[in-house]
Amino acid sequence: RKCAKEIGDEKGAHEIARERAILKTTERHPEQGEAAARTTGLSRPHDDVSLQKELVRCRLLAREFALARARGSGEGSDGGQLQTALAGVSREIEKCSSCPMKDAAVHFCKVITKSLSGPEMWSSVLDACDELRDVLREHGLIVHDTVQNKKH
């Protein structure tokens, strides 16, 4: 806020002060902070972080699942862990207010769920993972995709 004022950005300073007040209200009175966040279009930071955390975990499992299927490997191809991770993402989606991250999460879950039922749908899973990676990067997360050959 001080930096914005120093460079003469009064509108920016006001916006930062408003967001800060919402955060403080959320800490003291979660229900009031949640209502304030909804009316201003801001989501609660904890909800976003929880959603991001679940998305990253689910995305990793989805990639592993798709790559195992692409290789024809039976390893991890039942999708049980992935379905559990999708359920976790769905719970976080319900808690989170509307934002681009939530929209991306909903789309990701739909594609992955649909792909689990098809035998050769691994390429759409990888596409969904790539799209989600881009959204996560836009929100400041550093995401590196690597493929490792597991040696047994």
Side-chain angles (χ1 to χ4, degrees):
R1 186 177 72 80
K2 286 181 183 179
C3 292
K5 274 191 165 191
E6 284 180 17
I7 62 171
D9 185 6
E10 290 298 322
K11 185 177 180 182
H14 178 68
E15 182 69 20
I16 291 169
R18 187 179 62 79
E19 289 176 10
R20 198 166 150 213
I22 290 169
L23 290 173
K24 284 183 179 180
T25 303
T26 303
E27 288 175 5
R28 288 188 214 126
H29 308 286
E31 65 285 344
Q32 288 178 356
E34 194 170 299
R38 275 195 304 271
T39 59
T40 60
L42 297 172
S43 56
R44 291 175 36 192
H46 173 72
D47 293 343
D48 285 350
V49 171
S50 296
L51 179 59
Q52 286 177 358
K53 193 178 192 181
E54 287 297 318
L55 279 171
V56 168
R57 181 174 157 269
C58 188
R59 183 181 174 277
L60 173 67
L61 291 170
R63 278 181 51 80
E64 288 175 353
F65 174 80
L67 292 172
R69 282 282 176 99
R71 282 188 230 114
S73 165
E75 180 184 322
S77 61
D78 69 341
Q81 285 184 322
L82 180 55
Q83 289 174 342
T84 302
L86 282 168
V89 171
S90 294
R91 282 190 300 274
E92 291 303 322
I93 287 171
E94 290 174 14
K95 295 178 191 176
C96 193
S97 60
S98 186
C99 66
M101 181 70 67
K102 181 178 180 176
D103 297 339
V106 169
H107 175 70
F108 178 76
C109 285
K110 283 181 184 175
V111 171
I112 301 303
T113 301
K114 181 179 176 187
S115 298
L116 283 173
S117 62
E120 294 296 322
M121 300 294 281
W122 55 266
S123 63
S124 59
V125 171
L126 293 175
D127 289 341
C129 288
D130 289 346
E131 290 173 17
L132 183 59
R133 177 199 59 218
D134 294 340
V135 172
L136 291 168
R137 285 179 177 169
E138 287 173 9
H139 285 82
L141 281 135
I142 300 171
V143 181
H144 295 288
D145 290 332
T146 59
V147 179
Q148 297 177 345
N149 291 328
K150 293 183 180 179
K151 295 181 182 179
H152 296 299

